[in-house]
Amino acid sequence: MLGSDVVPQLFFLILTLTLPFSAAYHVGVNYGTVANNLPPPHQVVNFIKTKTNINHVKIFDTNPDILAAFSGSTEISLTVTIPNSDILSLSKLPNARSWLSNHLLPFLPTTSISYIAVGNEVIATSDKTLITHLLPAMESLTLALHLANVTGILVSTPHSLGILSGSSEPPSSGKFRNGYDKAIFTPILDFHNRTKSPFMVNPYPYFGSGPETLNYALFNSNDYVFVDPVTKMNYTNMFDAQLDAVYSAMKRIGYGDVDIVVAETGWPSAGEPNQTGVGLDYAAAYNGNLIKHVNSGKGTPLMPNRVFETYIFSLFNENLKSSVSEQNFGLFKPDFTQVYDVGIMKTNKV
Ligand SMILES: *[C@@H]1O[C@H](CO)[C@@H](O)[C@H](O)[C@H]1NC(C)=O
Ligand SMILES: *[C@@H]1O[C@H](CO)[C@@H](O)[C@H](O)[C@H]1NC(C)=O
Ligand SMILES: *[C@@H]1O[C@H](CO)[C@@H](O)[C@H](O)[C@H]1NC(C)=O
Ligand SMILES: *[C@@H]1O[C@H](CO)[C@@H](O)[C@H](O)[C@H]1NC(C)=O
């Protein structure tokens, strides 16, 4: 794909060879557990540590067995998630303090936790009570961490791209949904700016693509595919376009400098027989190209050279998810064999 770009390719090679590997590795995984056939957490941790280059893991809960399994593996940083159903209660400081004491403090500092994700895609629920308590819960948890003298854990919440209004093309036109920008996102982004925590988003080119944009979604376009008429920037992949639409929305209300973390993205390796653009080759192309793109450090057209810590969804195929495609987002099968190769194993360095 980079065939004609010999110079950047050489530069990337030199960079990768001279920097410690971890310094150039920004890709993590979501370790989801909606399955009845997964190996026990200690085997999973041992596998991640000894066999893969993965150094960031996100989980969808604060399962104590998983937190205990990561004890002593401080080279892997964890993001834990608070279920949406706890947000209301955690908006009160005393509840946030006892939640912290019960769920996380017992595992610190031997388990390395970098982020607490407060809920998942809360805005997409359209539940007004939940949405109005989201930021108060993030504030309470931040204060609870401070009162417990815990440093190094930042609080955030992952958003679906449904937070943007209408079409996110061109990327420069990205803005938050009407009525949500000032009321919801200005205070949330002000919180991120104050606490130096990242804005988390879940972009899925898989859901945004059709037959004509499949190669664009898979990072397989050789030439420019889309020119933003306002900025004149060339987009060769949908991932960059989606991130730049988010960036434009943030910048429009004054917070273009807040870090972005890609909390989920991925592509299924199997689906219903009538689904197009789903399969092993597509999933391998998306995730393989994504990893190269993120680790290249080149950023996006509107955010050159910015690095986005990116969590692939997901670590395992999860057999209790509700549809065939949802069951097949995993990089690995429950027996630890690769569903397809994306160069994430230790033996595949460079
Ligand atoms: C936090 O640190 C302060 C100052 O060192 C100390 O007075 C306080 O007891 C500590 N609190 C906890 C919960 O450890
Ligand atoms: C975008 O691509 C066109 C056509 O290849 C090229 O002329 C233009 O300079 C490119 N723009 C940028 C900003 O790279
Ligand atoms: C973000 O925080 C910086 C200080 O770190 C401050 O200078 C800046 O004004 C803040 N941005 C907004 C939009 O409040
Ligand atoms: C695809 O097949 C499933 C059943 O396997 C069906 O529920 C769905 O409506 C079909 N979708 C299309 C677009 O034909």
Side-chain angles (χ1 to χ4, degrees):
M1 265 129 287
L2 294 170
S4 56
D5 286 340
V6 176
V7 172
Q9 211 173 20
L10 275 178
F11 182 63
F12 176 59
L13 191 65
I14 291 163
L15 252 185
T16 328
L17 290 174
T18 48
L19 288 177
F21 195 69
S22 60
Y25 215 78
H26 310 288
V27 175
V29 289
N30 281 275
Y31 171 12
T33 55
V34 187
N36 60 12
N37 58 355
L38 297 183
H42 69 273
Q43 282 182 19
V44 175
V45 174
N46 189 48
F47 170 74
I48 291 174
K49 243 168 79 167
T50 59
K51 297 288 198 294
T52 78
N53 289 315
I54 297 164
N55 54 12
H56 296 82
V57 174
K58 177 165 163 284
I59 61 177
F60 289 97
D61 49 29
T62 53
N63 181 336
D65 296 336
I66 297 181
L67 292 181
F70 278 98
S71 174
S73 301
T74 47
E75 69 273 37
I76 301 175
S77 68
L78 274 183
T79 298
V80 299
T81 304
I82 290 173
N84 288 358
S85 55
D86 283 355
I87 288 174
L88 196 52
S89 146
L90 296 183
S91 64
K92 304 265 185 308
L93 181 61
N95 297 342
R97 296 186 78 178
S98 55
W99 180 89
L100 188 63
S101 299
N102 295 332
H103 291 83
L104 297 194
L105 295 186
F107 302 100
L108 301 178
T110 53
T111 294
S112 167
I113 298 175
S114 47
Y115 302 119
I116 299 175
V118 181
N120 194 32
E121 303 190 348
V122 169
I123 310 295
T125 65
S126 300
D127 178 330
K128 288 217 167 62
T129 310
L130 206 52
I131 293 170
T132 53
H133 288 83
L134 177 59
L135 181 56
M138 291 161 72
E139 299 271 17
S140 296
L141 284 157
T142 303
L143 186 51
L145 287 163
H146 181 70
L147 292 171
N149 291 342
V150 174
T151 54
I153 302 184
L154 298 172
V155 175
S156 187
T157 184
H159 301 285
S160 75
L161 289 206
I163 58 176
L164 299 180
S165 87
S167 156
S168 52
E169 282 197 349
S172 62
S173 76
K175 55 177 183 296
F176 292 115
R177 269 164 61 178
N178 279 344
Y180 282 69
D181 47 356
K182 294 236 160 43
I184 310 271
F185 287 105
T186 296
I188 286 181
L189 285 162
D190 180 67
F191 165 85
H192 289 309
N193 194 44
R194 262 188 288 122
T195 63
K196 307 286 173 234
S197 57
F199 192 64
M200 291 185 165
V201 290
N202 298 342
Y204 276 96
Y206 165 65
F207 292 117
S209 65
E212 279 106 65
T213 51
L214 189 57
N215 280 329
Y216 180 58
L218 295 173
F219 301 83
N220 274 344
S221 308
N222 281 315
D223 305 319
Y224 83 90
V225 165
F226 186 83
V227 182
D228 188 312
V230 177
T231 60
K232 311 288 183 227
M233 291 292 180
N234 296 338
Y235 286 85
T236 57
N237 67 80
M238 192 181 286
F239 178 80
D240 279 355
Q242 292 187 337
L243 285 186
D244 276 357
V246 171
Y247 168 78
S248 298
M250 294 165 69
K251 188 161 187 266
R252 196 177 297 281
I253 57 173
Y255 294 99
D257 292 335
V258 167
D259 276 340
I260 296 176
V261 162
V262 174
E264 277 183 40
T265 189
W267 201 284
S269 61
E272 302 291 348
N274 62 3
Q275 277 185 287
T276 56
V278 177
L280 278 180
D281 292 347
Y282 301 110
Y286 180 75
N287 285 321
N289 290 333
L290 171 80
I291 291 170
K292 282 187 219 137
H293 184 61
V294 168
N295 285 335
S296 76
K298 68 182 178 193
T300 69
L302 295 183
M303 296 180 280
N305 307 317
R306 271 178 63 173
V307 164
F308 314 101
E309 209 171 279
T310 296
Y311 294 75
I312 292 176
F313 184 87
S314 61
L315 180 57
F316 292 115
N317 280 338
E318 295 172 62
N319 68 350
L320 297 181
K321 289 263 179 169
S322 59
S323 69
V324 178
S325 55
E326 286 198 47
Q327 289 163 11
N328 287 283
F329 271 84
L331 299 176
F332 297 95
K333 298 176 192 167
D335 67 359
F336 295 116
T337 56
Q338 292 188 89
V339 180
Y340 47 87
D341 184 13
V342 286
I344 213 166
M345 306 303 285
K346 276 204 197 295
T347 48
N348 285 350
K349 262 185 218 168
V350 186

